[in-house]
């Protein structure tokens, strides 16, 4: 808004007073547009960054869930009564009979995979 800015301009004649002049033009619209676009760009960047972080966390959650599923499967295989009996040296001796007892309770572990 240059028309609001007064400035004094000498008349270049001896003993004359400076005249007050005003500039011509109003260039505020392009400046306001530039600032508005900058603010919206910043807000969009923050939203896009938030989206990217959300996507990354969702991906890592999926990978962690798959890893825990594999880990749970391995725990179940390692604690299966027949696997435990097969690992005991005493059960491999001649004349020794080993029987599996109650299978381990895996209810809470199974629930952790569903959640």
């Amino acid at each position: 808004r240059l028309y609001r800015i007064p400035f004094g301009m000498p008349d270049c004649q001896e003993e004359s007073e400076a005249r007050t002049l005003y500039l011509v033009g109003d260039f505020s619209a392009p400046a306001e547009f530039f600032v508005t676009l900058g603010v919206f760009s910043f807000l969009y960047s923050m939203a896009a960054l938030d989206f990217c972080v959300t996507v990354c966390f969702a991906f890592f959650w999926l990978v962690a869930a798959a890893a825990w599923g594999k880990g749970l499967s391995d725990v179940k295989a390692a604690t299966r009564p027949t696997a435990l009996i097969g690992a005991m040296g005493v059960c491999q001796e001649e004349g020794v009979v080993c029987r599996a007892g109650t299978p381990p309770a895996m209810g809470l572990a199974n629930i952790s995979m569903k959640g």
Side-chain angles (χ1 to χ4, degrees):
R1 297 186 181 104
L2 296 177
Y3 62 88
R4 292 184 179 178
I5 308 297
F7 69 96
M9 183 174 153
D11 203 4
C12 296
Q13 296 176 359
E14 290 187 33
E15 298 183 21
S16 64
E17 292 184 19
R19 295 187 311 170
T20 301
L21 296 176
Y22 291 88
L23 297 174
V24 177
D26 183 2
F27 305 102
S28 62
E32 290 169 354
F33 176 69
F34 180 76
V35 170
T36 302
L37 186 61
V39 169
F40 284 145
S41 297
F42 174 75
L43 294 175
Y44 171 75
S45 298
M46 295 308 290
L49 178 65
D50 184 48
F51 178 72
C52 290
V53 169
T54 302
V55 167
C56 288
F57 272 110
F59 173 75
F60 287 131
W61 176 82
L62 179 65
V63 170
W68 172 231
K70 173 68 172 123
L72 180 59
S73 175
D74 292 344
V75 166
K76 286 181 177 182
T79 58
R80 196 172 50 239
T82 55
L84 293 174
I85 290 173
M88 291 182 197
V90 71
C91 292
Q92 306 305 321
E93 295 178 8
E94 192 174 315
V96 176
V97 176
C98 295
R99 292 195 179 116
T102 308
M106 293 288 178
L108 293 176
N110 290 334
I111 290 172
S112 73
M113 281 305 299
K114 306 249 191 267

